[in-house]
Amino acid sequence: MYYGGTNMEIRKATLDDVKDISRIHALSWKSAYKGIVPQAYLDELKGDFWVPAFGIWIKDNVLSVQLISENCNSIGCVAYGKSRDKSLPNWGEIVSIYLLPEYFGKGYGKKLLESALLDLKQSGYQNVYLWVLKENQRARHFYEKNKLQCNKDECICEIMGKKLTDIRYIYSFNNLAK
């Protein structure tokens, strides 16, 4: 696909892609979560931090991962699959969408979101959710602009002693027909 004067492709990630996926996550975290996640954590975050996890998730088909590339360079990824929340057993979940910081706000995140939602719909899910940090206004605005709704569910996590609140956003394919 040709996008914005460049050659853009979205494809299913393989085990050969886990280093790129992990690097994208780390660089995105360092930019997107500045002022939200403790700076010491972001400073210590290594580019290969997620390699073992994504290696297992992809190998064991726990998550589907798609990579977006521009001119053959990986610039972002989305990871998704069956809900990990036992209270929503028939839901799909988008676990993460990350882009290299220089690609924020250029439409690539929307392409990844649309691709993941289409795949989840084709897999039979009627409803999808994701978690986003409550303080991450940029991400919240992105999801709201793309028709996801905050349902007020919260989950508290802690990084280096700082309590962070994730809030759930939901998307229903049933609402599209109305």
Side-chain angles (χ1 to χ4, degrees):
M1 179 186 298
Y2 208 63
Y3 187 69
T6 61
N7 191 8
M8 193 244 349
E9 176 191 34
I10 296 178
R11 65 171 176 81
K12 188 171 171 75
T14 68
L15 284 173
D16 292 336
D17 297 313
V18 295
K19 284 184 181 164
D20 280 343
I21 293 165
S22 185
R23 182 178 59 84
I24 290 164
H25 274 66
L27 291 171
S28 187
W29 268 61
K30 287 174 184 280
S31 177
Y33 298 148
K34 196 176 205 65
I36 300 173
V37 169
Q39 190 60 45
Y41 184 85
L42 297 176
D43 290 345
E44 294 170 13
L45 189 57
K46 302 279 188 264
D48 63 356
F49 179 80
W50 283 276
V51 167
F54 274 99
I56 291 167
W57 294 333
I58 290 172
K59 181 174 71 65
D60 295 344
N61 290 314
V62 174
L63 294 176
S64 293
V65 181
Q66 293 184 26
L67 270 178
I68 190 167
S69 59
E70 180 182 82
N71 299 326
C72 300
N73 296 313
S74 298
I75 61 168
C77 54
V78 59
Y80 56 93
K82 181 175 175 32
S83 169
R84 298 175 296 171
D85 185 334
K86 302 294 181 235
S87 71
L88 299 173
N90 299 316
W91 286 55
E93 177 182 6
I94 295 177
V95 175
S96 63
I97 297 180
Y98 289 114
L99 292 166
L100 293 176
E102 59 268 32
Y103 294 92
F104 290 0
K106 295 186 177 176
Y108 293 102
K110 181 179 175 69
K111 297 281 185 203
L112 283 170
L113 178 62
E114 288 170 348
S115 186
L117 287 172
L118 179 63
D119 198 15
L120 287 161
K121 182 179 184 181
Q122 290 172 342
S123 297
Y125 295 104
Q126 298 299 310
N127 300 293
V128 176
Y129 73 90
L130 56 82
W131 292 103
V132 64
L133 285 171
K134 193 173 195 172
E135 291 181 56
N136 190 347
Q137 293 302 323
R138 180 185 194 116
R140 293 181 64 183
H141 177 71
F142 168 78
Y143 293 123
E144 288 164 9
K145 194 168 78 175
N146 285 286
K147 300 182 177 45
L148 280 87
Q149 297 177 319
C150 181
N151 78 342
K152 307 292 188 231
D153 287 353
E154 292 188 353
C155 177
I156 307 296
C157 60
E158 193 173 307
I159 296 178
M160 289 186 140
K162 181 177 181 183
K163 288 193 184 332
L164 300 165
T165 303
D166 274 319
I167 52 176
R168 192 186 321 254
Y169 274 76
I170 59 171
Y171 186 91
S172 176
F173 295 108
N174 297 331
N175 290 346
L176 297 180
K178 295 176 183 169

